[in-house]
Amino acid sequence: QKMVSMLSLPKDLLESIAFMAVVDVGAPQNSAKTHTPHAPQPREPECAIVLQSLRASCSSFRGACRVESVARRCLAEPCKLSRLLGANGRVPLMHFLRASGGYKTAVAAFHRELAAIEKGKNPLPETTNLRKLCGRLFAQLGLYDEAESMLLSALSMDREIQGPDAPEVAKTLHLLAEMLRGVVSACQKEEERYRWAMRGIRYARECLTLRRKAFGLCS
């Protein structure tokens, strides 16, 4: 009965329920908060339970709560997306993206929404940050080529906006190196591990060079 009544809601309200269930529930406000082994676990919000059932069985609800809507809301609230990419927050988002057409569909949706944002008048540092968040998301989805491409575009924007030796450039190079270290661990073939490792080492060396310059050390 609850499911039928929810389906009669306007599309924008259904999208808000999807966002609340997937993003707000999946993004802990205080990641430092811990629970003792015997403490009662927090009850899963009802909206998340309803969403899980409807998402799997009802095409009308899936049509309203498309991956584009979650991508749009995530990019509109980068702080929440950042929390979702943390160790305790990524599972609900990954499940939703998988159920909403798969990871490749999700990547295409994030690309479209990001392109729409960049056509607006957002300050460049904001769009650069969104590209970094998308790069981290794509890496967590196991789509490493897409992740590297997104992070490299962010690196190019950092260099253009802040200068080639800026601290933010070093941070982005560090992010690339860290991402590729994870890729190397996931690779099964030796040739692939070597290829990704060499690229990661190159980014790490560039990062180290910039940080040594910042401290007035010889390269």
Side-chain angles (χ1 to χ4, degrees), residues 135-136 138-140 142-152 155 172-187 192-206:
R136 288 174 56 198
F138 297 167
Q140 290 183 9
L143 302 171
Y144 301 118
D145 285 313
E146 290 88 343
E148 186 182 24
S149 175
M150 188 62 73
L151 291 174
L152 282 173
L155 177 65
T172 308
L173 285 165
H174 177 76
L175 189 58
L176 274 159
E178 281 293 298
M179 187 270 290
L180 291 180
R181 187 174 68 169
V183 177
V184 171
S185 301
C187 282
E192 288 183 6
R193 277 201 304 272
Y194 180 80
R195 178 170 61 89
W196 286 109
M198 288 299 99
R199 279 151 76 171
I201 289 169
R202 186 177 77 246
Y203 297 135
R205 283 177 174 165
E206 287 184 57

Side-chain angles (χ1 to χ4, degrees), residues 2 41 60 82 84 88-90 103 120 128 130 169 174 178 181 183 191 194 202 208-209:
K2 277 182 186 175
Q41 293 300 311
S60 298
S82 182
L84 276 169
N88 297 325
R90 68 183 66 142
Y103 290 162
T128 306
L130 291 178
V169 172
H174 177 76
E178 281 293 298
R181 187 174 68 169
V183 177
E191 296 84 359
Y194 180 80
R202 186 177 77 246
L208 179 60
T209 299

Side-chain angles (χ1 to χ4, degrees), residues 106-119:
V107 167
F110 272 87
H111 272 295
R112 283 194 297 272
E113 295 304 325
L114 186 59
I117 289 170
E118 290 178 345
K119 282 181 182 177

